[in-house]
Amino acid sequence: MATRQKLMRAIRVFEIGGPEVLKFQSDVAVPIPKDHQVLIKVYACGVNPVDTYIRSGTYGRKPHFPYTPGFDVAGVIEAVGDNVTAFKKGERVFTTGTISGGYAEYAVVADDNVYTLPEKLDFKQGAAIGIPYFTAYRALLNRARVKPGESVLVHGASGGKSVGEKGIDVIIEMLANVNLSNDLNLLSNGGRVIVVGSRGPIEINPRDTITKESSIIGVALYSSTKEEFQQCAAALQAGMEIGWLRPVIGSEYPLEKVAQAHENIIHSSGATGKMILLIS
């Protein structure tokens, strides 16, 4: 007699569009982990701007429909596939990506995208780590190659700034389509603008890079090598144990309110803390 497949609640997307294309379903089949994969019972999932770019079709890589969004989940290992040796059922973990999607009660994840979540952090904090913290590490250490004593400005949609005569050594730019031209005038000699986010085109004067020999450098987390991911993970996990890595949680939404979360992450200003979906 055939065993009936277990079902779960999940968000499914069948077409490009606005937040309204995020469809809540309660009859999605629970995925089964394959070789070097684990199945995670998801307690929380981080909401990232990139989730909205993929949904709206403005991201460089197009999704295969239908799909479930979400990269950064935190939860408990439910099952492991063949050849998984680093994790076992019942362990608390967080991820930097999923195979089946994180806006769901269960998610399949490649075992090299899974990391132990210390007891010091709850599941909401675990779901806040993935893309934001790993991207920040890559931007500062791998791409900007920031050195002790250098000044760093994390730039979003903020207004006027006073940077002194020397200028800023490194600008981490979250909204390049608005700020990039002005950023070039804020840099010190040899300064770098590290572009983490942009929502459209912008016109700049390349001459602004000449006098100060400044650089504009893009960041793509998933261009990291396996060794770079491991190096970053080791640094961040040390931070969790020591206590300097403690994510601040902002807005929380149930899975059914994901469309509102997508609306707010793009259009709400002045938000503090990481936006989280509560799953289980």
Side-chain angles (χ1 to χ4, degrees):
M1 185 174 177
T3 302
R4 193 173 72 173
Q5 189 165 16
K6 190 174 181 180
L7 302 178
M8 66 178 182
R9 300 180 305 136
I11 301 300
R12 300 292 279 165
V13 179
F14 296 86
E15 61 182 326
I16 292 294
E20 70 279 358
V21 303
L22 297 161
K23 304 299 184 183
F24 175 81
Q25 297 186 337
S26 57
D27 58 353
V28 179
V30 173
I32 298 171
K34 300 178 182 177
D35 193 50
H36 288 290
Q37 297 176 357
V38 302
L39 178 68
I40 297 174
K41 180 176 175 57
V42 179
Y43 284 87
C45 182
V47 180
N48 294 297
V50 69
D51 300 345
T52 72
Y53 306 153
I54 295 170
R55 185 212 71 229
S56 62
T58 59
Y59 192 62
R61 292 178 295 176
K62 305 303 181 187
H64 297 287
F65 297 106
Y67 77 97
T68 294
F71 296 94
D72 301 339
V73 307
V76 173
I77 299 285
E78 179 74 11
V80 299
D82 293 337
N83 297 308
V84 174
T85 59
F87 300 99
K88 62 181 183 295
K89 183 176 180 178
E91 291 187 313
R92 303 170 79 252
V93 294
F94 71 96
T95 73
T96 54
T98 69
I99 294 171
S100 62
Y103 294 8
E105 289 184 294
Y106 293 90
V108 163
V109 183
D111 61 357
D112 58 0
N113 278 338
V114 181
Y115 307 92
T116 298
L117 179 64
E119 293 289 342
K120 295 181 179 181
L121 301 184
D122 61 29
F123 290 120
K124 291 184 289 186
Q125 290 174 309
I129 297 169
I131 287 178
Y133 279 82
F134 278 71
T135 299
Y137 183 96
R138 180 165 180 77
L140 287 168
L141 279 300
N142 298 138
R143 303 298 288 144
R145 300 187 184 279
V146 69
K147 298 183 286 290
E150 288 192 314
S151 56
V152 176
L153 171 65
V154 179
H155 200 182
S158 54
K161 305 160 292 296
S162 176
V163 299
E165 292 184 11
K166 179 179 180 295
I168 300 292
D169 297 312
V170 175
I171 297 177
I172 305 298
E173 182 51 69
M174 313 298 291
L175 200 62
N177 58 298
V178 173
N179 300 320
L180 184 56
S181 181
N182 188 45
D183 288 343
L184 296 176
N185 295 314
L186 300 178
L187 290 175
S188 64
N189 291 331
R192 294 87 77 198
V193 179
I194 310 300
V195 179
V196 173
S198 182
R199 298 180 186 173
I202 185 173
E203 182 175 318
I204 67 168
N205 184 349
R207 291 184 63 85
D208 291 339
T209 68
I210 294 173
T211 304
K212 297 178 180 179
E213 294 189 322
S214 56
S215 305
I216 302 170
I217 302 171
V219 175
L221 176 60
Y222 292 100
S223 293
S224 304
T225 64
K226 183 175 289 189
E227 291 73 24
E228 287 171 335
F229 262 112
Q230 291 171 343
Q231 180 186 46
C232 176
L236 295 181
Q237 288 188 300
M240 295 177 221
E241 293 295 343
I242 295 170
W244 58 257
L245 196 165
R246 294 193 65 82
V248 175
I249 304 304
S251 303
E252 302 175 14
Y253 298 82
L255 191 59
E256 297 87 343
K257 299 292 185 181
V258 64
Q260 189 62 55
H262 270 223
E263 186 75 25
N264 291 348
I265 198 170
I266 295 299
H267 297 295
S268 293
S269 60
T272 301
K274 177 66 180 174
M275 184 178 288
I276 296 293
L277 287 179
L278 300 177
I279 311 293
S280 299

